[in-house]
Amino acid sequence: PPGGQVSRLRYRVNGGPELEQVVPDPGGDGGPPSPTSVTFQEGRSTLEYWGRWSNGVQQGHGLQNVLVDQTRPSVDVQNPQGESIFVITRRETANVTAQDALSGLTQDPSASGVPLNTSTRGTATFARTAADLCDNQASDSFDYRVLAPGLGIRTVLERVSGTVSVRNAAGAS
């Protein structure tokens, strides 16, 4: 140090005007200064900073790139055929698109033709999550049903009131 104590932090953001913060000395004894903070808007910024000592010397110049990203990525899960009922063991797929406009993805689930699990009957959910460099996360999912082969996509029986007649492909009841 150039002598004396650090008394002020001078800085500028993105080449703007010089700003100054007084750096408190918590014990009043010239010990280590208290931390101070600078608030940034969301996006990319450049912080230029230096200290001013109590004896008037200015020193400790630094330059730091800063990224503030508080926005979650976008994720979209879609079935290419637009259907949500499938026959057991048939190959079905989903497409996933994900993006992050600011910091970029560190976990990118984007893919086409991702296989859906149709190995068992019942309801299921296909879900994918994306994460960005600043730990923001987002998920999207696709709910679907898997039916037995005899109950193909065109024949889905639901409970209804009244009389229901079921015809086979030849038209016989």
Side-chain angles (χ1 to χ4, degrees):
Q5 295 120 333
V6 175
S7 61
R8 300 180 188 293
L9 170 68
R10 297 187 65 103
Y11 65 95
R12 109 174 81 218
V13 177
N14 295 331
E18 282 187 20
L19 303 170
E20 184 173 87
Q21 286 187 7
V22 173
V23 179
D25 178 1
D29 58 1
S34 294
T36 189
S37 65
V38 176
T39 302
F40 293 90
Q41 299 287 335
E42 186 167 42
R44 296 182 185 276
S45 301
T46 301
L47 172 67
E48 181 181 7
Y49 58 91
W50 56 96
R52 182 172 296 278
W53 271 251
S54 56
N55 64 3
V57 173
Q58 186 169 293
Q59 189 172 323
H61 190 268
L63 194 63
Q64 187 71 42
N65 290 320
V66 178
L67 171 63
V68 177
D69 180 358
Q70 298 174 323
T71 304
R72 290 188 279 166
S74 65
V75 181
D76 186 36
V77 173
Q78 296 287 322
N79 173 261
Q81 293 79 32
E83 297 176 2
S84 62
I85 299 174
F86 306 112
V87 176
I88 194 167
T89 69
R90 290 213 181 135
R91 186 179 182 330
E92 300 293 342
T93 62
N95 294 334
V96 182
T97 56
Q99 59 186 351
D100 186 81
L102 193 54
S103 64
L105 295 173
T106 57
Q107 179 181 335
D108 186 355
S110 297
S112 295
V114 181
L116 297 175
N117 182 356
T118 60
S119 63
T120 57
R121 290 185 342 186
T123 59
T125 300
F126 175 83
R128 290 297 185 262
T129 300
D132 69 18
L133 185 63
C134 293
D135 292 330
N136 300 304
Q137 293 186 356
S139 298
D140 191 26
S141 61
F142 169 70
D143 295 323
Y144 61 99
R145 292 192 324 180
V146 178
L147 303 176
L151 298 177
I153 293 174
R154 296 179 189 262
T155 309
V156 178
L157 302 177
E158 304 281 343
R159 287 187 186 262
V160 294
S161 60
T163 305
V164 175
S165 66
V166 178
R167 297 173 190 227
N168 65 21
S173 301

